[in-house]
Amino acid sequence: MSEQSVHEPSAPDQTAPEQSAYDFRTIERKWQQRWEREGIYLTRDGGGPKYYVLEMLPYPSGDLHVGHAKNYSLGDAVARIMRMRGYDVLHPMGWDAFGLPAENAAIQRGIDPETWTRSNIENMRRQIKLMGTGYDWTREFATCDPAYYKWNQWFFLRMFEQGLAYKREAPVNWCPVDRTVLANEQVQDGVCWRCGAAVERRNLAQWFFKITDYADRLLAGLDRLTGWPERIKTMQRNWIGRSEGATLAFDVEDVAARIEVFTTRADTVFGTTFLAVAPEHPVVAQIVARLPESRARIEEFAAGLRSKSELERTQLMEKAGVPTGAYAVNPLSGERVPIWVANYVLAEYGTGAVMGVTAHDQRDFEFAQKYDLPVVQVVTDEAGTVQPPLSEAFTDDGVLIASGEYSGMTSAQARTAIAAHLEVQGRGTSTITYRFRDWLVSRQRYWGTPIPIVYCPTHGAVAVPDAQLPVLLPKNVAFTGQGSPLANNPDFVHTTCPTCGEPATRDADTMDTFVDSSWYMLRYLDPRNGERPFDEAIATRMMPVDQYIGGAEHAVLHLLYARFFYMFLIDQGYVHGDDEPFTRLFNQGTLLHGGEKMSKSRGNVVGIDETVERHGVDAMRLFLLKAAPPEDSLEWSDEGIVGRVRFVGRVWRAVEPLAAKAKSAPLDRLPETRGDAQRQLVRALHVALESAQGETDTRRFHYNVTTAKLDELINALTTLLREPGASDDPAVLYVVHALPIVLAPFAPHLADELWAALGYATSVHLERWLAPDPAALAVDAITLVVQVNGKVRARIDTAPGIGEEAAFELALREPTVTAQIDGKQVRKRIFVADKLLNIVAA
RNA sequence: GGGAUGAUGGUGGAAUAGGCAGACACAGCAGACUUAAAAUCUGCAGCCCGCAAGGGCGUCCGGGUUCGAGCCCCGGUCAUCCCACCA
């Protein structure tokens, strides 16, 4: 590492604590340089079990703040503990480098997106190294490297071949002034972020990945992911939104059309009093052709709806509709029901049409109230107490009434019977509907992976041959914020058809950046492979990721897309094994400052450079681990970190004077202990070891508790050191010798400085972890709690294993106990060995 | 509207399986060291009564189960997050 890459100290800060004897600035820099020089964090192939720990790929936004540090401190501690425990740890880092902010910088400040991105990466890499994190940097890549995005294109073509990538029209946000598509975050209050023009919805032909083909596998896989938080799995299930029901067909009177409706309540068909369709439903055009007098009314209604923002449409609007004038026929009862266009029917879900069952669906009920439609109850509860008139929809399952031959059946029986009956007549089928849609991957942007498709007047959409990949992003691009940068670039767009060689045009869209992050965990395994995205054998050996760490904001999209992508890779045989890519998932809590999430846009960031310069890396990392459990959000505290600065100094002052002696204290067996204080000290060390190691086993990562155990350890050590002769005590020297090992995952620089002071020439991070020793953890004295009627009245210090009778006799010697029993009869005794004696007296 | 999670001292938090509530730390107070301060070290510290010994109360509120509830059950309040016209 060169000198330039180390941060220059900022101006001296008068409020900063005076430098103690432990010069963290010099020491931390020294170790970081040495670790890098010696390559101690390169992935080892030492014949141990593999352990792949991965933090979610960061976006290179510019500067790291302590919120990022919270994430990396955790992953780094996990990686270090597992490495010391003998696992062959893979812990890589890279960059999610495509995306909108770089393009915005280009539009607003005229900076080339690549220049902007690369310089951010440089800075963030420097800052991550400044934290002393143990990544294997030889595997680093950025998703904007052509050597990476080439494989995005390659996978796109494989999906295209399999019919999993397809093209269809879909609405986008369109700015009529800038003639460009806007991302949702570029639409603010319905207007363009740049020019303020009102944003329109427009249909464009775009590429989709057929993730819905995998819906049931994505659902089923969740049940096997026992190492994932239940909350995230629930969110994914809700997102997929599997719904079992039936599709039923209603004939339209006087129009040669059928309206299909999806319903989960086929048992309520007899209660249908109207049909509601989305304004976009094709039947609307057919009805208008037949009943021209309805045209104006329907078009006005649809136009009013289109002018509303998404927010107004989904949250604020009252249910409303207009009658089309046409009627449909109930396939079971034969009754005529009016067809309405309604604002609460979604074109994209189900069939875009619903049967209006006013008595048994709350939305339909409200609609009926507003437009005075009949309410026909066809289900009642078991006891038959629910009777008309209804004041609200009765939405529970129950028993059918007024439903012809189905009356008397339960809802569940009727659903099956009705679906079967209609199926025979060709008017119904059992259907499973999903809430989530196929994955729209086209983005009308520059800074992303070009879609490797060419449009030929003769041959249509043609795949770019593999040999011609990557389709490179052009360099000579003007960023005006108007139009599409690639579509505006003739050199890029004009090409020849791979099939016939005639003039053709390229697809001018780029891929959603979620494509980039859907398979990156595989590229780390074989990052320089030029022939394949990754080697099959290596991937099969190293996958899945054992521990994935990141924020809950990716609970649905990224984590669902990556699971889908991996299932595809498994199916295609690019990697073998289980089709879930992330065995365990841990969701970090966010870092708050001033009660709000720390972020550049909120202007409440605390930078890494300043924090490290002022307090030191180890203190920062220890504070971020100590202040709260890692899944909780955590309020940054400039005061709180002072406690960790003190801890670092206290450890150094306690250990350093004894370091020369301590190396000869053997670590392979427990030391002789003379007294209770010595036994407590050795026990404190093993409690800390157990805490640190247990957290990786149980996956809770509650290092806030582990750091408290380290506090207790150092408190016990400094207390003992005040006793005469302590510096020759075998227990003290044993603990001093072992201390760097237990500190290594959390304060890696301090640990190595202590290890060197002991006289070691090699890094402590190459040492083996100490196994917590049950003999050291055993206690030789307990405090037995004595309760009278459930209230603590005395505590008796005694040896473990004391019997109930003996305990009772001791308890009766305590005046605070006898005072409570006095004049009462002892009715009962509850005895919990080595813990508690409860005397029940009345 | 639906779902999930949570609520513990001045603050962040701890409490393995229903068994000592408040570990550890921050802030605070007192003391030691110092000419003085900083740094460091030591001690105190949930609330109320009491000189003390000790006692009463106490984990959002109200009930319940239990010898015993921060933890389990029922009802409520508040907070955060997610989904939200999904037929």
Side-chain angles (χ1 to χ4, degrees):
Chain A
M1 186 195 266
S2 67
E3 280 296 322
Q4 296 87 33
S5 66
V6 174
H7 178 72
E8 289 301 321
S10 55
D13 184 340
Q14 295 303 319
T15 61
E18 198 81 0
Q19 261 188 12
S20 64
Y22 182 75
D23 176 11
F24 64 79
R25 292 185 187 88
T26 308
I27 290 167
E28 288 174 348
R29 186 179 313 182
K30 174 183 76 184
W31 285 108
Q32 286 168 17
Q33 290 172 352
R34 195 171 139 189
W35 294 336
E36 178 133 358
R37 198 165 60 235
E38 297 179 356
I40 68 169
Y41 303 123
L42 299 187
T43 311
R44 182 174 56 190
D45 190 3
K50 68 98 182 175
Y51 191 83
Y52 188 176
V53 55
L54 182 64
E55 290 107 68
M56 286 180 185
L57 187 68
Y59 179 77
S61 57
D63 252 316
L64 283 188
H65 56 69
V66 290
H68 299 100
K70 180 180 191 274
N71 208 1
Y72 303 139
S73 300
L74 183 75
D76 199 48
V78 173
R80 286 173 185 277
I81 291 168
M82 297 309 273
R83 196 181 288 121
M84 292 178 81
R85 290 178 65 192
Y87 290 83
D88 287 341
V89 169
L90 172 60
H91 190 212
M93 177 52 68
W95 312 100
D96 187 18
F98 277 136
L100 198 53
E103 204 162 326
N104 288 345
I107 295 168
Q108 292 174 316
R109 290 178 279 152
I111 308 164
D112 174 55
E114 171 139 27
T115 308
W116 185 86
T117 303
R118 296 281 175 196
S119 90
N120 283 351
I121 289 174
E122 287 301 312
N123 188 49
M124 285 178 63
R125 186 193 300 111
R126 172 189 67 76
Q127 289 181 308
I128 289 178
K129 289 186 175 182
L130 188 66
M131 285 184 56
T133 41
Y135 292 109
D136 180 350
W137 287 102
T138 63
R139 293 165 186 268
E140 176 192 6
F141 59 82
T143 56
C144 64
D145 297 339
Y148 183 82
Y149 72 70
K150 168 182 179 176
W151 301 111
N152 286 343
Q153 296 170 341
W154 192 84
F155 285 128
F156 182 99
L157 294 174
R158 300 294 85 77
M159 290 217 191
F160 182 57
E161 288 162 4
Q162 301 293 317
L164 287 170
Y166 68 96
K167 202 169 190 191
R168 69 167 161 88
E169 296 241 316
V172 293
N173 301 307
W174 175 262
C175 173
V177 174
D178 289 338
R179 288 172 292 112
T180 187
V181 171
L182 300 175
N184 282 334
E185 57 268 30
Q186 292 175 318
V187 182
Q188 291 154 1
D189 300 322
V191 304
C192 173
W193 65 298
R194 255 189 94 245
C195 68
V199 172
E200 300 172 357
R201 312 256 317 150
R202 242 196 205 204
N203 278 330
L204 280 187
Q206 303 183 78
W207 288 97
F208 286 82
F209 286 161
K210 219 173 189 176
I211 189 171
T212 51
D213 270 11
Y214 285 73
D216 282 326
R217 263 170 88 183
L218 288 165
L219 271 178
L222 292 174
D223 296 334
R224 284 181 287 127
L225 292 174
T226 52
W228 279 41
E230 216 42 61
R231 191 170 59 99
I232 303 295
K233 289 192 282 185
T234 302
M235 283 167 70
Q236 292 214 352
R237 286 191 190 102
N238 291 343
W239 185 264
I240 294 167
R242 186 177 197 273
S243 184
E244 290 187 25
T247 303
L248 313 177
F250 285 64
D251 284 326
V252 182
E253 235 176 46
D254 301 328
V255 177
R258 276 184 160 191
I259 297 177
E260 294 199 323
V261 300
F262 173 72
T263 180
T264 54
R265 294 295 305 273
D267 52 315
T268 64
V269 174
F270 281 88
T272 305
T273 55
F274 68 101
L275 279 195
V277 300
E280 302 87 348
H281 196 285
V283 82
V284 174
Q286 290 175 277
I287 291 172
V288 164
R290 174 89 196 174
L291 301 168
E293 66 275 17
S294 305
R295 179 188 295 272
R297 184 172 65 226
I298 294 172
E299 282 183 354
E300 185 193 350
F301 179 76
L305 207 53
R306 271 198 301 275
S307 71
K308 302 292 184 194
S309 71
E310 203 69 16
L311 183 85
E312 287 172 298
R313 262 195 89 151
T314 56
Q315 292 182 29
L316 306 176
M317 255 165 105
E318 199 183 326
K319 286 160 194 40
V322 288
T324 60
Y327 285 80
V329 180
N330 188 318
L332 277 191
S333 69
E335 281 178 61
R336 296 171 79 228
V337 292
I339 301 170
W340 288 63
V341 172
N343 65 355
Y344 68 94
V345 181
L346 306 174
E348 315 90 48
Y349 182 75
T351 60
V354 300
M355 54 184 214
V357 182
T358 50
H360 303 290
D361 181 286
Q362 189 57 30
R363 289 162 312 207
D364 297 342
F365 184 84
E366 288 170 27
F367 196 77
Q369 298 285 300
K370 180 163 178 177
Y371 296 109
D372 222 6
L373 296 163
V375 176
V376 177
Q377 186 183 342
V378 294
V379 179
T380 186
D381 61 341
E382 294 275 327
T385 52
V386 178
Q387 293 294 336
L390 298 177
S391 59
E392 58 177 1
F394 175 67
T395 57
D396 294 351
D397 274 9
V399 179
L400 269 70
I401 53 174
S403 299
E405 59 190 283
Y406 303 97
S407 296
M409 285 189 184
T410 64
S411 290
Q413 291 165 340
R415 278 195 285 272
T416 312
I418 288 172
H421 176 80
L422 289 174
E423 181 136 24
V424 172
Q425 299 191 346
R427 295 183 165 274
T429 106
S430 292
T431 312
I432 292 164
T433 298
Y434 299 93
R435 202 184 68 86
F436 80 150
R437 303 274 95 84
D438 277 335
W439 174 11
L440 170 56
V441 295
S442 295
R443 294 292 181 273
Q444 294 71 35
R445 320 238 137 251
Y446 167 79
W447 192 231
T449 304
I451 290 178
I453 295 286
V454 166
Y455 300 100
C456 167
T458 312
H459 297 98
V462 181
V464 173
D466 287 355
Q468 291 174 26
L469 300 183
V471 176
L472 288 169
L473 274 177
K475 294 280 187 191
N476 54 333
V477 174
F479 295 97
T480 59
Q482 302 209 323
S484 157
L486 289 183
N488 290 347
N489 191 298
D491 292 346
F492 177 81
V493 171
H494 297 302
T495 182
T496 53
C497 171
T499 305
C500 63
E502 293 298 311
T505 55
R506 287 192 190 279
D507 193 302
D509 288 350
T510 52
M511 292 182 209
D512 181 5
T513 56
F514 277 122
V515 175
D516 310 355
S517 55
S518 285
W519 67 280
Y520 75 104
M521 61 282 183
L522 287 143
R523 186 65 181 174
Y524 281 136
L525 305 176
D526 193 13
R528 306 291 165 244
N529 195 326
E531 303 300 312
R532 308 277 296 166
F534 50 84
D535 180 84
E536 180 184 324
I538 295 173
T540 299
R541 187 170 74 245
M542 295 303 290
M543 285 298 284
V545 174
D546 295 280
Q547 182 65 59
Y548 200 28
I549 299 174
E553 67 273 19
H554 291 116
V556 178
L557 296 180
H558 161 60
L559 286 169
L560 201 61
Y561 293 150
R563 291 179 60 222
F564 156 67
F565 222 94
Y566 194 63
M567 287 174 182
F568 170 73
L569 300 182
I570 290 274
D571 289 353
Q572 297 300 306
Y574 301 131
V575 52
H576 307 282
D578 188 272
D579 64 7
E580 287 293 341
F582 309 114
T583 306
R584 291 185 294 261
L585 172 69
F586 188 86
N587 280 125
Q588 283 268 48
T590 51
L591 193 88
L592 309 176
H593 194 212
E596 290 195 301
K597 183 175 176 175
M598 188 175 285
S599 74
K600 216 164 154 181
S601 56
R602 289 185 181 83
N604 62 347
V605 295
V606 175
I608 287 209
D609 289 344
E610 306 89 89
T611 305
V612 165
E613 170 57 24
R614 187 163 165 185
H615 302 293
V617 175
D618 286 339
M620 178 181 76
R621 293 167 57 131
L622 285 165
F623 172 71
L624 291 166
L625 293 172
K626 161 123 194 153
E631 67 272 24
D632 286 4
S633 63
L634 151 62
E635 175 71 25
W636 176 257
S637 162
D638 280 319
E639 287 160 347
I641 195 173
V642 170
R644 298 302 92 197
V645 176
R646 286 182 196 145
F647 172 81
V648 169
R650 207 152 59 225
V651 171
W652 177 251
R653 283 190 299 276
V655 169
E656 197 266 342
L658 300 175
K661 270 187 195 172
K663 192 184 175 187
S664 57
L667 288 182
D668 54 356
R669 57 187 153 85
L670 294 176
E672 305 277 336
T673 46
R674 289 184 287 113
D676 287 347
Q678 281 78 5
R679 270 192 294 280
Q680 291 301 315
L681 175 67
V682 173
R683 180 160 193 275
L685 172 74
H686 284 264
V687 166
L689 288 164
E690 186 189 42
S691 172
Q693 163 177 333
E695 295 298 346
T696 46
D697 292 341
T698 57
R699 313 187 290 264
R700 289 167 68 234
F701 303 135
H702 282 199
Y703 297 124
N704 54 323
V705 177
T706 305
T707 48
K709 301 300 179 197
L710 291 171
D711 275 314
E712 290 181 21
L713 172 59
I714 200 66
N715 289 346
L717 180 62
T718 47
T719 303
L720 201 51
L721 283 174
R722 286 202 299 277
E723 288 185 7
S727 58
D728 289 314
D729 189 311
V732 168
L733 295 177
Y734 170 82
V735 167
V736 166
H737 193 175
L739 199 53
I741 292 172
V742 69
L743 285 173
F746 313 107
H749 309 81
L750 173 65
D752 241 348
E753 186 68 10
L754 295 172
W755 198 245
L758 286 161
Y760 286 96
T762 52
S763 170
V764 72
H765 302 293
L766 301 173
E767 293 297 320
R768 283 305 284 259
W769 187 250
L770 276 182
D773 188 330
L777 291 168
V779 287
D780 53 11
I782 55 131
T783 301
L784 190 76
V785 172
V786 182
Q787 297 180 335
V788 180
N789 293 333
K791 283 191 186 288
V792 179
R793 295 300 173 183
R795 295 179 176 88
I796 301 172
D797 291 322
T798 180
I802 185 170
E804 178 174 345
E805 281 308 320
F808 186 57
E809 275 173 36
L810 283 175
L812 291 181
R813 288 184 210 162
E814 299 287 332
T816 50
V817 172
T818 50
Q820 297 294 329
I821 302 177
D822 193 34
K824 295 175 185 166
Q825 280 262 295
V826 174
R827 307 265 177 200
K828 198 172 170 184
R829 296 190 312 224
I830 314 286
F831 183 70
V832 182
D834 291 349
K835 278 208 168 127
L836 166 134
L837 174 68
N838 186 13
I839 301 167
V840 184

